[in-house]
DNA sequence: AGTTTCATACCGACTAGACGGTTTGTAAAT
DNA sequence: ATTTACAAACCGTCTAGTCGGTATGAAACT
């Protein structure tokens, strides 16, 4: 099925991709509609045909980003994990490996936007909150199962730990942007790994 | 010494305070010079008399914010700590207690700005990096001393742990902004506390 | 003591350009 | 014939930054 020059699905996807890239680089406010149109190779008319306004595009981009993040849980390295605990560490390792690349390609669109517009654009904030919270939610069952296996009586909640992993990841991105280097983010994820080992000790071993 | 209507030091301070508040609420790009002037109760002429441009103000605000953050280490609760380990936990407890208040009053100007302008305004990024890195640096000696006391042979570096504390704090702010509630940030700092207990075990006790 | 000089501190109208969004027009598909 | 999918000129608003001007006070000069 050859695609013609006029392909609304493709146009929309190009706009979302261009917006995602630009916002990850410059933030939501500094990214102009003209910027996005130019990067996507479409006209302003096309932009406002597909999206009511700039805010609507941001929300759609946030939803698309969250959907892609959810796909992380389908990664082969997670499926290969024999236990919930292994699966959790496979997730963190995957996140770590994803830090290899250009800054704007590895950082989180949701964290970037919500920090900027949490007060001024509640609809965007909610979309970001849903994405981040939903992603954390995707970890809760795994963490709960690992807890049942390794620390059934511990006084922490799987949901709280899941949110903490996202906090560490988001904070790691901020340090990386400040330092101009993702290495510091890798370091922080290593601390997260160590913490999770501490929360989920394997019998007959110490969490060093 | 009664102050006259013309007081450059006061004018500058008012501009810095107004800018800090506005940027914490809306971000650097969305905060206009007119906004800041109105909030500070000064004219645009005064603004550009004291600062070369908007970027220069942001850098000055970042430096002032970092200086105030450095004062945290003078807090009585830290001085009262008997050991480096106690001092470290007093710091985290202090950061936790500081989360009680309006969102824009508790979040970090540096983390907010650097996430937005890391690519577009290198000078601001550097000022933020210096502030965050410097604050982390203020913890390194304490962490190193605590390590010497409680985990001399452990395979982690005090500097890396210090940076990780800042990553957790920054990430906690992002989750808080997304959720519209600082409670999730408190939770994350509690996990940080637990991690530090795990890194610095007290003899004859488990890190539960 | 009175006057001139000068730098600092500040005011607010103004400008040039960028911005989000609208409108008008058109061409393909159904 | 109507709807969909775009193109691009256009519009009012907002922006950072400029500029000519004024008020103040201290120092220099007479």
């Amino acid at each position: 099925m050859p695609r013609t020059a006029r392909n609304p699905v493709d146009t929309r996807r190009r706009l979302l991709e261009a917006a995602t890239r630009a916002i990850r680089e410059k933030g939501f406010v500094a990214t102009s509609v003209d910027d996005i149109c130019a990067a996507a190779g479409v006209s302003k008319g096309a932009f406002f045909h597909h999206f009511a306004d700039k805010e609507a595009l941001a929300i759609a981009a946030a939803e698309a980003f969250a959907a892609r993040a959810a796909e992380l849980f389908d990664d082969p390295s997670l499926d290969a994990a024999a236990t919930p605990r292994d699966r959790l560490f496979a997730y963190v390792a995957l996140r770590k490996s994803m830090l290899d690349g250009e800054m704007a390609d590895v950082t989180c669109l949701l964290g970037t936007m919500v920090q900027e517009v949490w007060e001024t654009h509640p609809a965007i904030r909610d979309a970001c909150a849903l994405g981040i919270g939903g992603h954390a939610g995707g970890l809760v069952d795994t963490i709960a199962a690992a807890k049942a296996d390794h620390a059934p009586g511990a006084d922490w909640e799987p949901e709280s730990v899941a949110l903490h992993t996202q906090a560490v990841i988001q904070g790691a991105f901020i340090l990386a942007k400040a330092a101009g280097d993702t290495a510091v983010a890798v370091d922080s994820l290593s601390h997260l790994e160590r913490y999770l080992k501490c929360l989920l000790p394997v019998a007959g071993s110490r969490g060093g």
Side-chain angles (χ1 to χ4, degrees), chain A:
Chain A
M1 187 198 300
R3 307 205 147 184
T4 68
R6 301 184 62 206
N7 185 329
V9 175
D10 188 59
T11 300
R12 199 185 140 93
R13 203 203 66 230
R14 288 159 68 90
L15 281 167
L16 286 172
E17 277 176 15
T20 299
R21 161 157 291 272
I23 294 171
R24 291 214 273 186
E25 271 172 19
K26 311 192 294 181
F28 172 75
V29 179
T31 296
S32 74
V33 173
D34 285 333
D35 284 345
I36 297 167
C37 292
V42 308
S43 72
K44 222 165 174 177
F47 182 102
F48 285 102
H49 173 74
H50 285 282
F51 300 100
D53 51 26
K54 195 183 159 188
E55 187 182 67
L57 170 75
I59 292 168
E63 287 165 352
F65 192 89
R68 292 205 45 156
E71 290 172 13
L72 289 185
F73 296 123
D74 300 331
D75 191 90
S77 69
L78 300 214
D79 288 339
T83 68
R85 188 179 186 276
D86 288 344
R87 186 175 148 87
L88 177 60
F89 285 106
Y91 168 80
V92 178
L94 177 60
R95 293 306 302 250
K96 230 165 153 178
S97 73
M98 286 168 58
L99 289 170
D100 188 30
E102 287 294 305
M103 191 73 66
D105 293 327
V106 305
T107 53
C108 177
L109 176 71
L110 308 181
T112 300
M113 279 205 293
V114 78
Q115 175 129 18
E116 198 180 350
V117 304
W118 60 277
E119 178 88 280
T120 52
H121 294 71
I124 300 178
R125 179 200 62 211
D126 291 345
C128 294
L130 205 65
I132 296 173
H135 193 71
L139 281 171
V140 170
D141 287 349
T142 300
I143 294 174
K147 186 189 180 196
D149 288 347
H150 295 88
D155 69 336
W156 48 266
E157 296 302 318
E159 187 173 356
S160 175
V161 172
L163 285 169
H164 180 64
T165 63
Q166 300 309 301
V168 172
I169 289 168
Q170 295 294 340
F173 287 143
I174 290 187
L175 292 212
K177 286 174 181 175
D181 187 350
T182 55
V184 62
V186 175
D187 260 24
S188 225
L189 287 202
S190 296
H191 285 292
L192 176 61
E193 266 176 343
R194 200 192 320 255
Y195 177 50
L196 294 173
K197 282 179 190 163
C198 170
L199 291 184
L200 301 167
V202 283
S205 164
R206 277 279 160 67

